[in-house]
Short mmCIF file of all heavy atoms in Angstrom, two decimals:
data_model
loop_
_atom_site.label_atom_id
_atom_site.label_comp_id
_atom_site.label_asym_id
_atom_site.label_seq_id
_atom_site.Cartn_x
_atom_site.Cartn_y
_atom_site.Cartn_z
N LEU A 189 -1.88 8.46 17.67
CA LEU A 189 -2.59 8.63 18.90
C LEU A 189 -3.88 9.46 18.73
O LEU A 189 -4.95 9.20 19.24
CB LEU A 189 -1.65 9.33 19.95
CG LEU A 189 -2.01 9.51 21.35
CD1 LEU A 189 -2.42 8.18 21.94
CD2 LEU A 189 -0.91 10.14 22.17
N MET A 190 -3.67 10.52 17.86
CA MET A 190 -4.83 11.36 17.53
C MET A 190 -5.84 10.53 16.75
O MET A 190 -7.03 10.63 16.92
CB MET A 190 -4.44 12.59 16.86
CG MET A 190 -3.94 13.62 17.82
SD MET A 190 -3.78 15.30 17.13
CE MET A 190 -2.11 15.12 16.52
N ALA A 191 -5.29 9.77 15.87
CA ALA A 191 -6.18 8.89 14.96
C ALA A 191 -6.93 7.90 15.79
O ALA A 191 -8.18 7.74 15.74
CB ALA A 191 -5.34 8.16 13.92
N LEU A 192 -6.27 7.33 16.78
CA LEU A 192 -6.78 6.26 17.58
C LEU A 192 -7.94 6.85 18.43
O LEU A 192 -9.02 6.27 18.59
CB LEU A 192 -5.70 5.71 18.58
CG LEU A 192 -5.95 4.50 19.22
CD1 LEU A 192 -6.01 3.26 18.28
CD2 LEU A 192 -4.91 4.15 20.32
N ARG A 193 -7.64 7.95 19.02
CA ARG A 193 -8.70 8.68 19.86
C ARG A 193 -9.90 9.22 19.10
O ARG A 193 -10.96 9.04 19.52
CB ARG A 193 -8.07 9.73 20.71
CG ARG A 193 -7.18 9.21 21.89
CD ARG A 193 -6.96 10.41 22.81
NE ARG A 193 -8.08 11.02 23.38
CZ ARG A 193 -8.21 12.11 24.11
NH1 ARG A 193 -7.13 12.87 24.14
NH2 ARG A 193 -9.26 12.53 24.56
N PHE A 194 -9.59 9.85 17.95
CA PHE A 194 -10.59 10.70 17.39
C PHE A 194 -11.13 10.17 16.04
O PHE A 194 -12.04 10.81 15.46
CB PHE A 194 -10.13 12.17 17.19
CG PHE A 194 -9.72 12.64 18.65
CD1 PHE A 194 -8.50 13.23 18.81
CD2 PHE A 194 -10.60 12.64 19.66
CE1 PHE A 194 -8.08 13.76 20.10
CE2 PHE A 194 -10.18 13.16 20.98
CZ PHE A 194 -8.95 13.78 21.16
N ALA A 195 -10.62 8.99 15.60
CA ALA A 195 -11.12 8.42 14.36
C ALA A 195 -11.87 7.15 14.66
O ALA A 195 -12.21 6.37 13.83
CB ALA A 195 -10.06 8.29 13.28
N ASN A 196 -11.98 6.88 16.01
CA ASN A 196 -12.67 5.60 16.44
C ASN A 196 -13.67 5.93 17.48
O ASN A 196 -13.49 6.82 18.25
CB ASN A 196 -11.64 4.64 17.04
CG ASN A 196 -10.62 4.09 16.04
OD1 ASN A 196 -11.03 3.39 15.12
ND2 ASN A 196 -9.34 4.57 16.08
N MET A 197 -14.79 5.27 17.40
CA MET A 197 -15.86 5.57 18.43
C MET A 197 -15.55 4.84 19.79
O MET A 197 -16.02 5.14 20.81
CB MET A 197 -17.20 5.12 17.87
CG MET A 197 -18.31 5.56 18.63
SD MET A 197 -18.32 7.37 18.75
CE MET A 197 -19.10 7.62 20.37
N LEU A 198 -14.69 3.70 19.55
CA LEU A 198 -14.45 2.78 20.67
C LEU A 198 -13.99 3.36 21.99
O LEU A 198 -14.44 3.02 23.01
CB LEU A 198 -13.43 1.69 20.13
CG LEU A 198 -13.51 0.37 20.66
CD1 LEU A 198 -14.95 -0.25 20.54
CD2 LEU A 198 -12.60 -0.50 19.87
N TYR A 199 -12.94 4.11 21.86
CA TYR A 199 -12.26 4.49 23.16
C TYR A 199 -12.79 5.83 23.85
O TYR A 199 -12.78 5.83 25.04
CB TYR A 199 -10.76 4.65 22.89
CG TYR A 199 -10.02 3.46 22.52
CD1 TYR A 199 -9.60 3.16 21.24
CD2 TYR A 199 -9.83 2.43 23.50
CE1 TYR A 199 -8.99 1.96 20.93
CE2 TYR A 199 -9.29 1.26 23.16
CZ TYR A 199 -8.85 0.93 21.90
OH TYR A 199 -8.28 -0.15 21.62
N GLU A 200 -13.24 6.77 23.06
CA GLU A 200 -13.51 8.00 23.64
C GLU A 200 -14.48 7.93 24.77
O GLU A 200 -14.27 8.57 25.86
CB GLU A 200 -13.94 9.02 22.55
CG GLU A 200 -13.57 10.41 22.81
CD GLU A 200 -12.15 10.60 23.44
OE1 GLU A 200 -11.18 9.97 23.07
OE2 GLU A 200 -12.02 11.51 24.21
N PRO A 201 -15.53 7.21 24.77
CA PRO A 201 -16.53 7.12 25.83
C PRO A 201 -15.81 6.57 27.12
O PRO A 201 -16.34 6.84 28.22
CB PRO A 201 -17.55 6.14 25.33
CG PRO A 201 -17.53 6.18 23.91
CD PRO A 201 -16.03 6.39 23.58
N LEU A 202 -14.75 5.81 27.03
CA LEU A 202 -14.05 5.26 28.16
C LEU A 202 -12.93 6.08 28.63
O LEU A 202 -12.25 5.72 29.56
CB LEU A 202 -13.59 3.83 27.81
CG LEU A 202 -14.53 2.81 27.23
CD1 LEU A 202 -13.89 1.49 26.87
CD2 LEU A 202 -15.64 2.59 28.32
N TRP A 203 -12.64 7.09 27.89
CA TRP A 203 -11.41 7.93 28.07
C TRP A 203 -11.49 8.94 29.20
O TRP A 203 -11.50 10.19 28.97
CB TRP A 203 -11.07 8.57 26.79
CG TRP A 203 -9.53 8.80 26.45
CD1 TRP A 203 -8.89 9.86 26.65
CD2 TRP A 203 -8.69 7.74 25.91
NE1 TRP A 203 -7.55 9.67 26.26
CE2 TRP A 203 -7.51 8.36 25.82
CE3 TRP A 203 -8.75 6.39 25.56
CZ2 TRP A 203 -6.28 7.70 25.38
CZ3 TRP A 203 -7.63 5.78 25.15
CH2 TRP A 203 -6.44 6.46 24.99
N ASN A 204 -11.76 8.45 30.46
CA ASN A 204 -11.92 9.34 31.52
C ASN A 204 -11.66 8.59 32.82
O ASN A 204 -11.48 7.49 32.87
CB ASN A 204 -13.27 9.99 31.52
CG ASN A 204 -14.34 8.87 31.38
OD1 ASN A 204 -14.32 8.03 32.17
ND2 ASN A 204 -15.28 9.06 30.40
N SER A 205 -11.80 9.44 33.90
CA SER A 205 -11.53 8.80 35.25
C SER A 205 -12.50 7.79 35.67
O SER A 205 -12.28 7.00 36.58
CB SER A 205 -11.46 9.91 36.31
OG SER A 205 -12.73 10.53 36.33
N ALA A 206 -13.71 7.65 35.05
CA ALA A 206 -14.60 6.67 35.48
C ALA A 206 -14.08 5.25 34.99
O ALA A 206 -14.35 4.22 35.60
CB ALA A 206 -15.90 6.92 34.79
N HIS A 207 -13.36 5.26 33.91
CA HIS A 207 -12.90 3.92 33.37
C HIS A 207 -11.43 3.74 33.29
O HIS A 207 -10.95 2.66 33.10
CB HIS A 207 -13.42 3.80 31.97
CG HIS A 207 -15.01 3.91 31.77
ND1 HIS A 207 -15.62 5.11 31.52
CD2 HIS A 207 -15.92 3.00 32.16
CE1 HIS A 207 -16.95 4.85 31.59
NE2 HIS A 207 -17.13 3.60 32.04
N ILE A 208 -10.62 4.77 33.44
CA ILE A 208 -9.17 4.63 33.41
C ILE A 208 -8.59 4.77 34.80
O ILE A 208 -8.87 5.68 35.51
CB ILE A 208 -8.56 5.72 32.42
CG1 ILE A 208 -9.01 5.38 30.95
CG2 ILE A 208 -7.07 5.63 32.43
CD1 ILE A 208 -8.51 6.25 29.89
N ASP A 209 -7.77 3.81 35.08
CA ASP A 209 -7.13 3.79 36.44
C ASP A 209 -5.90 4.70 36.49
O ASP A 209 -5.73 5.48 37.40
CB ASP A 209 -6.76 2.34 36.75
CG ASP A 209 -5.97 2.28 38.09
OD1 ASP A 209 -6.74 2.41 39.14
OD2 ASP A 209 -4.82 2.18 38.17
N HIS A 210 -5.07 4.60 35.52
CA HIS A 210 -3.91 5.43 35.40
C HIS A 210 -3.25 5.32 34.10
O HIS A 210 -3.60 4.51 33.26
CB HIS A 210 -2.87 5.09 36.50
CG HIS A 210 -2.12 3.84 36.23
ND1 HIS A 210 -2.64 2.55 36.55
CD2 HIS A 210 -0.90 3.62 35.69
CE1 HIS A 210 -1.72 1.67 36.10
NE2 HIS A 210 -0.78 2.21 35.58
N VAL A 211 -2.31 6.25 33.79
CA VAL A 211 -1.63 6.26 32.48
C VAL A 211 -0.12 6.32 32.82
O VAL A 211 0.28 6.88 33.86
CB VAL A 211 -2.00 7.61 31.69
CG1 VAL A 211 -1.23 7.68 30.45
CG2 VAL A 211 -3.45 7.65 31.45
N GLN A 212 0.58 5.62 31.94
CA GLN A 212 2.07 5.56 32.10
C GLN A 212 2.64 6.00 30.75
O GLN A 212 2.23 5.64 29.61
CB GLN A 212 2.58 4.19 32.33
CG GLN A 212 2.09 3.56 33.56
CD GLN A 212 2.67 2.06 33.77
OE1 GLN A 212 3.62 1.67 33.14
NE2 GLN A 212 1.95 1.38 34.67
N ILE A 213 3.66 6.88 30.85
CA ILE A 213 4.41 7.36 29.66
C ILE A 213 5.87 7.08 29.93
O ILE A 213 6.43 7.61 30.91
CB ILE A 213 4.13 8.88 29.28
CG1 ILE A 213 2.66 9.06 29.15
CG2 ILE A 213 4.92 9.18 28.01
CD1 ILE A 213 2.27 10.52 28.80
N THR A 214 6.51 6.19 29.03
CA THR A 214 7.78 5.89 29.34
C THR A 214 8.63 6.29 27.94
O THR A 214 8.14 5.92 26.91
CB THR A 214 8.05 4.32 29.49
OG1 THR A 214 7.39 4.02 30.67
CG2 THR A 214 9.50 3.97 29.55
N VAL A 215 9.73 7.05 28.13
CA VAL A 215 10.58 7.19 27.05
C VAL A 215 11.96 6.78 27.53
O VAL A 215 12.68 7.48 28.15
CB VAL A 215 10.59 8.71 26.47
CG1 VAL A 215 11.66 8.89 25.35
CG2 VAL A 215 9.21 9.07 26.07
N ALA A 216 12.42 5.57 27.09
CA ALA A 216 13.64 5.02 27.63
C ALA A 216 14.63 4.92 26.47
O ALA A 216 14.27 4.58 25.39
CB ALA A 216 13.46 3.64 28.19
N GLU A 217 15.88 5.38 26.76
CA GLU A 217 16.90 5.42 25.78
C GLU A 217 18.06 4.50 26.26
O GLU A 217 18.28 4.40 27.48
CB GLU A 217 17.42 6.74 25.52
CG GLU A 217 16.41 7.73 25.02
CD GLU A 217 17.04 9.11 24.71
OE1 GLU A 217 17.19 9.92 25.57
OE2 GLU A 217 17.38 9.24 23.51
N THR A 218 18.79 3.93 25.34
CA THR A 218 19.96 3.19 25.75
C THR A 218 21.28 4.00 25.62
O THR A 218 22.30 3.70 26.16
CB THR A 218 20.15 1.87 24.89
OG1 THR A 218 20.03 2.23 23.52
CG2 THR A 218 19.05 0.89 25.20
N VAL A 219 21.18 5.10 24.80
CA VAL A 219 22.35 5.93 24.75
C VAL A 219 22.74 6.66 26.02
O VAL A 219 21.89 6.82 26.80
CB VAL A 219 22.17 7.00 23.55
CG1 VAL A 219 21.95 6.31 22.14
CG2 VAL A 219 20.91 7.90 23.86
N GLY A 220 23.95 7.11 26.09
CA GLY A 220 24.34 7.86 27.21
C GLY A 220 24.53 9.34 26.86
O GLY A 220 23.71 9.91 26.12
#
Side-chain angles (χ1 to χ4, degrees):
L189 185 55
M190 281 193 271
L192 195 72
R193 286 194 61 195
F194 303 125
N196 295 290
M197 194 55 213
L198 206 54
Y199 290 111
E200 212 41 37
L202 304 179
W203 211 258
N204 55 50
S205 62
H207 302 99
I208 292 179
D209 178 74
H210 73 278
V211 175
Q212 300 181 14
I213 303 180
T214 296
V215 177
E217 299 185 275
T218 51
V219 292

